[in-house]
Amino acid sequence: MHASRFPAQISSSPSSSAGSSRSPGLRCAALALAVVALATPWLAQAQSTQGPVPVRVGVVGPFTGPSADFGVPMLNGIKLAVDEINAVGGYMGRPMELVVKDDMADPARGRQAAQELLSEKVSAVLGFCNTGVALKALDLFQQSKTPLIVPCATGTAVTSTYPAPESYIFRVQGRDALQAPLMVDEIIKRGWDKVAIFADTTGYGEGGYKDVVDALAAKNLKPVHVSRFPLGVKDLTAELAAARNAGANVIYSYTVGPENAVIANGKKAMGWKVTQVGPWTLSFPFFLEGAKDAAEGALTVQTFIAEPSNERRASFLSGYTRKYQRKPAVPMAAANAYDATYLLMYSFLGIRDGNLTGPAIKESLEGKMKPYYGVVTTYDRPFSATDKDAITRNMLIVGMVKNGAVTFAYPEDAKRNLIVQRKQ
């Protein structure tokens, strides 16, 4: 393998005029992958008469149906990373091959998709956007000792269902137990002390509701009104009126789909001018496009704002737009999934004998990986035997909806975003 064989956009050659204009993160990743492929004697053994044997990696998520708005960006982020990895030799000359299954945001279908992936002998799996869908299938990965890296689903229980030392479930996303306290602190900072909680009855809504209540209790607060509703609800006028009558001065919504827009449009129709706050789901098209001007001013927790604040992020955003001819509909889903894919590959690179068993990948994820300069952050020991979440609170920021998009709520956060936050 020679550097001249690398595509210009991810060339590892510092003398290449095309490569030198690109992100140093991509060039460093290319160099690391190439060096390992060259230096490992197992490279020759990975070949067959038909060519290299692919490393099969499963992907599961909602690529059609009600959650496709963030499932598709997740898949696209994974594919973009795999294209780059394969362009520089993959794992010891073996390309990564994705085996993709659509869970359609349905828990039963998600479990079936997980079973199908495991039967197809994938080395590891990337996926799940919906907490309830993920929880339905976790035991399959744990029992089969197949590592699962979750780029999107934020439910706290996803990585706390099993004791960390034995768990094969990893995550590259800010869990709800981090998002809820951050937003509660923001609520208090703005002088809002009468919180109405609107949460759906899915596994995601149930877990988020509990995390919000716990975060409020830590500040000696209780919600003045709670509304629980099923997905698909079209009118919450009565519930909003009850919240207003209870004196609520902020609405904390915890739901994943069009229901966020139902809340925003409902309070606008009532002429009730209180701010809606929530987790990262307030950055989804269902809310931004469904509520339009009623979404203005909403506050949401983010790991990644789609602004080119450094070379790595600029390269990712431009690369995504070139490949898919559009910006990511949910930037967080795409960016976290992209980083999760590279973290999985870096764990492979920590296994020098080429034997990608589940226990070997788990052990590598927990401490054998080199630091990875990612889009969301720099991952230096992102996981350990006692910690399966790569994202810590210092990596989270408060975003605000302005002109139909999410930007930084505070100028100082935009400045802070120039400095990559490492795990604490």
Side-chain angles (χ1 to χ4, degrees):
M1 185 182 300
H2 189 275
S4 64
R5 295 176 58 190
F6 297 161
Q9 68 266 29
I10 51 175
S11 171
S12 65
S13 170
S15 63
S16 167
S17 59
S20 62
S21 66
R22 302 293 177 174
S23 163
L26 289 177
R27 285 183 271 121
C28 289
L31 180 59
L33 293 169
V35 167
V36 172
L38 282 169
T40 307
W42 278 79
L43 175 60
Q45 298 180 33
Q47 310 297 320
S48 71
T49 55
Q50 282 85 29
V53 177
V55 177
R56 292 165 63 81
V57 174
V59 180
V60 58
F63 310 129
T64 60
S67 293
D69 59 340
F70 65 123
V72 171
M74 180 192 79
L75 178 60
N76 287 347
I78 292 169
K79 287 181 174 179
L80 179 61
V82 167
D83 283 353
E84 294 171 357
I85 290 167
N86 285 342
V88 294
Y91 171 64
M92 301 193 317
R94 300 169 59 188
M96 290 181 74
E97 177 182 277
L98 297 179
V99 183
V100 180
K101 303 292 181 182
D102 184 1
D103 64 32
M104 298 179 285
D106 177 74
R109 172 58 196 151
R111 185 174 179 85
Q112 180 184 346
Q115 291 169 330
E116 291 170 0
L117 287 173
L118 295 174
S119 70
E120 295 187 41
K121 306 299 182 184
V122 295
S123 296
V125 174
L126 297 158
F128 290 115
C129 287
N130 305 89
T131 293
V133 180
L135 293 176
K136 187 74 172 180
L138 293 185
D139 63 304
L140 298 174
F141 299 98
Q142 187 67 18
Q143 292 169 9
S144 65
K145 297 184 177 181
T146 302
L148 167 69
I149 302 182
V150 179
C152 287
T154 60
T156 302
V158 170
T159 47
S160 63
T161 296
Y162 298 102
E166 292 82 40
S167 180
Y168 279 76
I169 315 301
F170 300 80
R171 175 161 46 195
V172 185
Q173 184 58 272
R175 65 188 184 276
D176 290 333
L178 295 179
Q179 293 196 41
L182 179 75
M183 189 54 72
V184 166
D185 285 349
E186 181 69 16
I187 286 171
I188 293 172
K189 177 181 177 180
R190 290 173 179 260
W192 300 324
D193 58 353
K194 295 179 174 60
V195 183
I197 302 177
F198 280 66
D200 67 41
T201 52
T202 66
Y204 174 70
E206 184 63 33
Y209 165 71
K210 180 181 183 302
D211 285 328
V212 173
V213 170
D214 288 347
L216 288 171
K219 302 296 183 180
N220 296 315
L221 292 174
K222 292 182 179 179
V224 297
H225 176 80
V226 173
S227 175
R228 304 300 305 278
F229 51 85
L231 292 183
V233 66
K234 303 297 184 184
D235 186 1
L236 289 168
T237 302
E239 291 81 355
L240 288 165
R244 182 173 60 181
N245 292 339
N249 52 19
V250 63
I251 293 177
Y252 202 135
S253 61
Y254 237 100
T255 185
V256 73
E259 297 76 21
N260 273 318
V262 171
I263 295 167
N265 290 327
K267 66 184 182 66
K268 178 187 176 183
M270 294 167 54
W272 188 25
K273 297 181 179 180
V274 294
T275 300
Q276 185 172 347
V277 307
W280 74 302
T281 54
L282 291 184
S283 67
F284 290 11
F286 271 136
F287 180 63
L288 300 178
E289 297 172 8
K292 294 185 172 59
D293 62 322
E296 287 293 296
L299 301 176
T300 172
V301 182
Q302 300 283 282
T303 60
F304 174 71
I305 300 288
E307 297 181 11
S309 53
N310 62 31
E311 274 194 89
R312 191 72 178 98
R313 292 164 184 154
S315 177
F316 165 74
L317 290 169
S318 62
Y320 188 104
T321 302
R322 281 196 307 272
K323 181 174 176 63
Y324 301 109
Q325 298 300 303
R326 62 183 181 277
K327 295 179 180 179
V330 181
M332 269 182 66
N336 286 68
Y338 177 92
D339 281 357
T341 308
Y342 266 102
L343 288 176
L344 178 60
M345 173 51 72
Y346 270 50
S347 76
F348 292 168
L349 297 179
I351 303 170
R352 303 303 297 273
D353 65 1
N355 191 15
L356 299 180
T357 65
I361 297 169
K362 176 180 181 291
E363 182 182 4
S364 188
L365 284 167
E366 291 173 348
K368 287 189 174 182
M369 299 192 312
K370 294 181 179 180
Y372 165 56
Y373 176 44
V375 174
V376 173
T377 188
T378 292
Y379 301 88
D380 188 1
R381 298 183 183 277
F383 307 112
S384 70
T386 58
D387 185 2
K388 297 300 191 291
D389 281 284
I391 303 298
T392 47
R393 175 163 168 160
N394 64 302
M395 300 174 189
L396 301 178
I397 52 178
V398 178
M400 176 180 285
V401 177
K402 292 183 179 179
N403 301 318
V406 177
T407 187
F408 296 95
Y410 299 102
E412 54 267 33
D413 278 343
K415 294 178 181 178
R416 184 171 68 92
N417 195 53
L418 296 172
I419 303 172
V420 173
Q421 302 295 314
R422 295 179 181 242
K423 189 170 185 176
Q424 293 181 353

